[in-house]
Amino acid sequence: MTVTVAIVGRPNVGKSTLFNRLVGRKIALVDDTPGVTRDRREAEGRIADLTFRILDTAGYEDVTDGSLEDRMRQQTELAIRDADVILFMIDARAGVVPLDQRFAQVLRKAGKDVHLVGNKAESKSAEHGLVEAFKLGFGEPIALSAEHGLGLSELYSIVSAAIDTAAEKKAAEAASDAETAGDLDQMPDVDVDITEDMLEGEGEEATLRWNPRRYLNVAIVGRPNAGKSTLVNRMVGEDRVLVGPEAGITRDSILVPWEWEGRVINLVDTAGIRRRSRVNEKLEKLAVGDSLRSIQYAEVVVLLL
Ligand SMILES: Nc1nc2c(ncn2[C@@H]2O[C@H](COP(=O)(O)OP(=O)(O)OP(=O)(O)O)[C@@H](O)[C@H]2O)c(=O)[nH]1
Ligand SMILES: [Mg+2]
């Protein structure tokens, strides 16, 4: 049984740093500039023996004006809807700022299992912020240091409890499904070759394992503004990655599973690459580095002109 955990919070609090730590690889871009992450990103997270689906999100900004930040906020809200557990991260050294309070209101309305996380708590200067965090109304914050790996045992308890709850819920649903099992006879048969290594658990309990590495990776690359993200959205039939007239929207390479004729293919949307001499901004360099890595890991590369 797996659950989905989303890391949310205002820009620059350390969401991507925690995401990378839980995934065990530095796959999300991290930098001390606010607003680095733009698209929500998912991967398999792990704490000790627990595995779960983890979502990194863009820093939350309280705007509804159609701007890039507004579209990032909408993506964050989609991640919140999708998640079983929300880790609401603040920067404990900075204490509670108005944007944290505004976001807290949004999260309260979401009616989800929200846990407050005070990051950057490795130093003494975080103590005041952790006390102040109570006023956000989500109980005692978890003192965490994503960079130094402190506080992970508390995250373990939270995820473990969520997995138990999900398993109980599934058992209850299975019991009620059994009552309506007759309806299942009317479902069409679907022919999919499922091999043993695609399964998690044993016998009748086995479920499909979620592992993006197992599928064909198709990287979509090209110059900035060539329409890579638009193509990915069109293929999957939803606004999965951010698009728009602004140059260089995509930062992290984002893997988007796509089903085609019964097969799952991972489309990888990437940041636009242009002449090296023109790339001098630090964030663009990081993003292009990620695009180049995606090319390396892809089995197929689509160059969009
Ligand atoms: N001292 C300290 N710094 C941290 C910690 N976690 C993250 N940072 C730093 O905080 C900065 C922001 O980290 P990110 O992980 O990029 O933050 P983010 O919340 O994903 O930021 P956006 O994507 O811009 O919203 C980076 O310089 C990190 O190195 C921590 O536990 N302690
Ligand atoms: Mg980030």
Side-chain angles (χ1 to χ4, degrees), residues 7-21 28-38 56-60 72 89 91 93 118-123 144-150 251-252:
I7 309 171
V8 301
R10 66 178 176 87
N12 212 33
V13 293
K15 299 177 293 299
S16 300
T17 306
L18 177 61
F19 177 84
N20 284 343
R21 182 166 284 281
L29 300 182
V30 166
D31 191 70
D32 199 16
T33 317
V36 173
T37 310
R38 288 192 165 157
D56 185 21
T57 63
Y60 185 89
M72 285 153 62
M89 184 178 275
D91 177 343
R93 290 189 315 195
N119 191 33
K120 311 192 185 181
E122 73 277 359
S123 70
L144 189 104
S145 173
E147 203 158 86
H148 301 270
L150 304 173
R251 291 250 173 84
D252 286 276

Side-chain angles (χ1 to χ4, degrees), residues 176-188:
S176 81
D177 278 358
E179 287 171 17
T180 53
D183 299 346
L184 288 180
D185 296 341
Q186 317 205 348
M187 300 269 286

Side-chain angles (χ1 to χ4, degrees), residues 28-211:
L29 300 182
V30 166
D31 191 70
D32 199 16
T33 317
V36 173
T37 310
R38 288 192 165 157
D39 284 290
R40 77 196 135 98
R41 176 203 274 277
E42 62 180 72
E44 192 179 70
R46 193 178 278 273
I47 311 176
D49 60 328
L50 296 182
T51 54
F52 46 93
R53 182 168 162 247
I54 180 100
L55 308 180
D56 185 21
T57 63
Y60 185 89
E61 299 270 16
D62 185 22
V63 283
T64 50
D65 54 3
S67 62
L68 182 58
E69 286 74 19
D70 180 13
R71 275 133 54 208
M72 285 153 62
R73 177 188 57 75
Q74 292 174 22
Q75 289 290 326
T76 299
E77 290 180 359
L78 282 177
I80 292 170
R81 220 175 304 161
D82 196 19
D84 303 297
V85 178
I86 311 280
L87 301 179
F88 171 23
M89 184 178 275
I90 63 162
D91 177 343
R93 290 189 315 195
V96 173
V97 305
L99 189 52
D100 295 322
Q101 279 172 321
R102 176 71 197 100
F103 196 20
Q105 288 173 355
V106 173
L107 289 173
R108 255 192 293 282
K109 282 197 204 123
K112 290 272 174 152
D113 183 19
V114 178
H115 300 269
L116 185 60
V117 176
N119 191 33
K120 311 192 185 181
E122 73 277 359
S123 70
K124 259 203 149 344
S125 59
E127 277 172 19
H128 173 73
L130 288 170
V131 173
E132 201 182 38
F134 271 92
K135 75 177 180 196
L136 287 170
F138 291 103
E140 189 177 349
I142 299 163
L144 189 104
S145 173
E147 203 158 86
H148 301 270
L150 304 173
L152 295 180
S153 58
E154 285 182 69
L155 289 190
Y156 181 95
S157 311
I158 288 168
V159 177
S160 165
I163 290 174
D164 289 347
T165 310
E168 280 164 24
K169 206 169 130 198
K170 197 177 165 204
E173 274 170 16
S176 81
D177 278 358
E179 287 171 17
T180 53
D183 299 346
L184 288 180
D185 296 341
Q186 317 205 348
M187 300 269 286
D189 278 339
V190 183
D191 246 348
V192 184
D193 289 333
I194 297 174
T195 54
E196 216 160 79
D197 64 334
M198 290 162 81
L199 294 173
E200 193 166 48
E202 293 194 346
E204 304 226 320
E205 296 278 288
T207 51
L208 266 182
R209 188 194 295 275
W210 187 85
N211 184 348

Side-chain angles (χ1 to χ4, degrees), residues 183-261:
D183 299 346
L184 288 180
D185 296 341
Q186 317 205 348
M187 300 269 286
D189 278 339
V190 183
D191 246 348
V192 184
D193 289 333
I194 297 174
T195 54
E196 216 160 79
D197 64 334
M198 290 162 81
L199 294 173
E200 193 166 48
E202 293 194 346
E204 304 226 320
E205 296 278 288
T207 51
L208 266 182
R209 188 194 295 275
W210 187 85
N211 184 348
R213 288 184 291 274
R214 186 155 296 117
Y215 304 111
L216 186 76
N217 288 321
V218 178
I220 317 280
V221 304
R223 280 196 308 229
N225 256 343
K228 300 176 291 299
S229 302
T230 308
L231 175 66
V232 169
N233 281 344
R234 187 54 67 86
M235 286 168 89
V236 297
E238 63 167 307
D239 291 339
R240 173 61 187 85
V241 284
L242 287 175
V243 294
E246 300 89 341
I249 291 187
T250 308
R251 291 250 173 84
D252 286 276
S253 295
I254 300 294
L255 185 153
V256 181
W258 175 57
E259 250 186 84
W260 180 74
E261 296 197 348

